[in-house]
Amino acid sequence: MGSVTFPVVGMVGGGQLARMTHEAGIPLGIKFKLLSDTPQDSAAQVVSAVVVGDYRDLDTLRAFARGCDVITFDHEHVPTAHLRALEADGVPVRPGPDALVHAQDKGVMRAKLDAIGVPCPRHRIVSDPEDAARFAAEVAGDGAQNLGEGRWPGDGSGGGFPVVLKTVRGGYDGKGVWVVRSSKEAEEPFRAGVPVLAEEKVDFARELAANIVRSPHGQAVAYPVVESIQVDGVCDTVIAPAPGLDPELAGHAQELALRIGQELGVVGHLAVELFETADGRILVNELAMRPHNSGHWTQDGAITSQFANHVRAVLDLPLGDPRPRARWTVMANVLGGDYPDMYSAYLHCMARDPQLKIHMYGKDVKPGRKVGHVNTYGDDLAEVRERAAHAAGYLRGTITE
């Protein structure tokens, strides 16, 4: 009787997303091979087949790809040309470079979304601080609330500021993003030496995320739209589903995410980060083509997690059910604080809330660094939120009772 050969998934990037994707593949018998920056990276601690190397080096990528049935990612930073070279070598890359470039380059992403009629904040590429000031004035001039003389409500600096400036490549978790209120403040983004995208500062009521997963043959599933609460540019809490969201608007957001996935040819998980505006519209803020922080709740709150469905998608297996298991699920990120011994907090957290789900990433604790998350679920949203916030705060050391 012959042995069954299970596929090998090559994961580029050794962070916590790779760690949790590997975990989702274990029950399926899927083998993982990891290209990691260091042996200490989060996923490198748990994956048995680890190659330590530079993902920016094409020869390293080619050597890593040998023996892999498919290549996927826990970040979007692999050079697009390198991914095209792998495809030319016959290596399945999912998502492929033609799709992934829209998550790598914000300028390319905005141009494509404009072309397919997706609602976005007003934007354009700007060449220098003075051009950013001109963009700010254009936004003010277009706005229905323009107060005249180049001023904008609530600003005080004049000229249409504030606006948002983003480096087109390389930003995440608030890095590479600036809210600027003057031409002087606009100087910093241009020091990176890469193109800068200017966007209007949207008057939004809250931030949402629509997560979908799509397979090579076009099967797709959509998770409930969630509310994402940011603190200092970093995701703090995710509530699934987004409370009080009009069902029609929620359906529109899911349809929008599914259409973006189809138009861009995404394979795997796609997170579409959204603004819900004060006047009841949704605008696309960012795209991520990998498992995403806004989908961590699915580990314990959905029938099939984002990680399991990403594995299924890149292997072109039938996708799993994305429906929620509970009425409410809340994810709270655990950030590093002044107390590095988080394990000592387990006794309190687990005794206080036996249903609590803790997910730690194996990272050294540093102030403000994402080192894990907790998931809670139940029928009473206020209670579920309090449990998640208490556990995350106690693990960090900001709550002591």
Side-chain angles (χ1 to χ4, degrees):
M1 186 174 178
S3 62
V4 177
T5 302
F6 283 80
V8 177
V9 174
M11 177 72 75
V12 179
Q16 65 262 25
L17 300 178
R19 181 185 179 109
M20 291 183 278
T21 305
H22 166 258
E23 178 187 5
I26 292 173
L28 302 176
I30 305 301
K31 301 174 183 178
F32 272 75
K33 183 179 176 183
L34 187 72
L35 180 60
S36 182
D37 290 340
T38 76
Q40 290 77 41
D41 284 353
S42 180
Q45 299 172 27
V46 297
V47 177
S48 59
V50 179
V51 175
V52 176
D54 187 349
Y55 63 83
R56 295 165 295 188
D57 179 73
L58 179 56
D59 290 338
T60 298
L61 278 173
R62 281 182 158 142
F64 170 75
R66 285 195 286 271
C68 295
D69 293 284
V70 64
I71 298 294
T72 190
F73 316 91
D74 93 332
H75 62 70
E76 292 110 341
H77 304 316
V78 180
T80 311
H82 290 6
L83 300 180
R84 296 194 195 284
L86 290 183
E87 282 198 328
D89 293 342
V91 178
V93 177
R94 294 172 178 165
D98 290 341
L100 194 62
V101 68
H102 298 93
Q104 294 175 321
D105 190 307
K106 293 179 175 63
V108 172
M109 179 262 290
R110 285 288 183 230
K112 180 65 174 180
L113 295 184
D114 284 347
I116 63 176
V118 170
C120 297
R122 287 169 288 182
H123 60 273
R124 70 173 172 85
I125 299 293
V126 291
S127 57
D128 52 38
E130 290 71 29
D131 197 20
R134 286 191 290 273
F135 170 80
E138 292 165 12
V139 169
D142 290 342
Q145 300 182 76
N146 186 9
L147 302 182
E149 301 300 324
R151 299 185 65 80
W152 193 244
D155 171 26
S157 61
F161 288 103
V163 296
V164 180
L165 299 183
K166 302 177 178 180
T167 52
V168 296
R169 284 182 178 256
Y172 66 97
D173 281 351
K175 299 177 177 65
V177 179
W178 296 262
V179 177
V180 301
R181 293 169 174 79
S182 66
S183 298
K184 181 66 176 175
E185 288 186 11
E187 293 175 0
E188 177 64 24
F190 294 93
R191 295 187 180 124
V194 298
V196 173
L197 176 71
E199 296 181 349
E200 68 172 313
K201 189 175 185 299
V202 175
D203 177 22
F204 61 88
R206 58 177 170 174
E207 294 185 62
L208 305 172
N211 290 282
I212 65 117
V213 182
R214 187 171 179 274
S215 68
H217 69 271
Q219 183 191 11
V221 296
Y223 289 94
V225 177
V226 301
E227 179 176 351
S228 178
I229 300 170
Q230 314 291 312
V231 176
D232 297 328
V234 177
C235 178
D236 180 82
T237 304
V238 171
I239 306 172
L245 182 62
D246 179 82
E248 185 174 344
L249 194 61
H252 175 54
Q254 289 176 311
E255 291 171 0
L256 191 65
L258 289 166
R259 181 161 72 88
I260 292 170
Q262 180 179 15
E263 292 276 3
L264 274 54
V266 175
V267 172
H269 185 271
L270 168 68
V272 180
E273 298 181 71
L274 302 160
F275 293 127
E276 181 183 7
T277 66
D279 58 358
R281 295 173 295 127
I282 55 172
L283 303 173
V284 172
N285 180 26
E286 300 279 3
L287 303 180
M289 294 180 196
R290 50 173 169 75
H292 190 258
N293 207 165
S294 64
H296 288 359
W297 70 273
T298 63
Q299 283 177 299
D300 305 297
I303 294 172
T304 311
S305 75
Q306 65 165 346
F307 302 102
N309 262 335
H310 184 76
V311 172
R312 292 187 186 203
V314 300
L315 292 172
D316 207 10
L317 293 169
L319 300 180
D321 193 332
R323 288 179 297 172
R325 293 179 181 271
R327 182 177 180 185
W328 300 105
T329 303
V330 173
M331 188 283 308
N333 275 320
V334 177
L335 303 182
D338 297 327
Y339 304 96
D341 183 16
M342 289 188 173
Y343 182 73
S344 64
Y346 280 14
L347 181 65
H348 169 85
C349 291
M350 292 177 179
R352 184 179 189 269
D353 187 355
Q355 291 187 337
L356 178 70
K357 302 295 185 180
I358 301 174
H359 300 270
M360 301 302 289
Y361 306 153
K363 292 182 172 182
D364 292 336
V365 176
K366 298 178 181 178
R369 185 187 200 187
K370 285 183 191 174
V371 294
H373 68 272
V374 297
N375 286 330
T376 56
Y377 48 87
D379 293 330
D380 185 309
L381 178 56
E383 178 203 30
V384 174
R385 289 192 69 174
E386 187 279 330
R387 287 163 49 208
H390 183 278
Y394 198 93
L395 288 165
R396 187 178 190 182
T398 54
I399 295 174
T400 57
E401 60 182 12

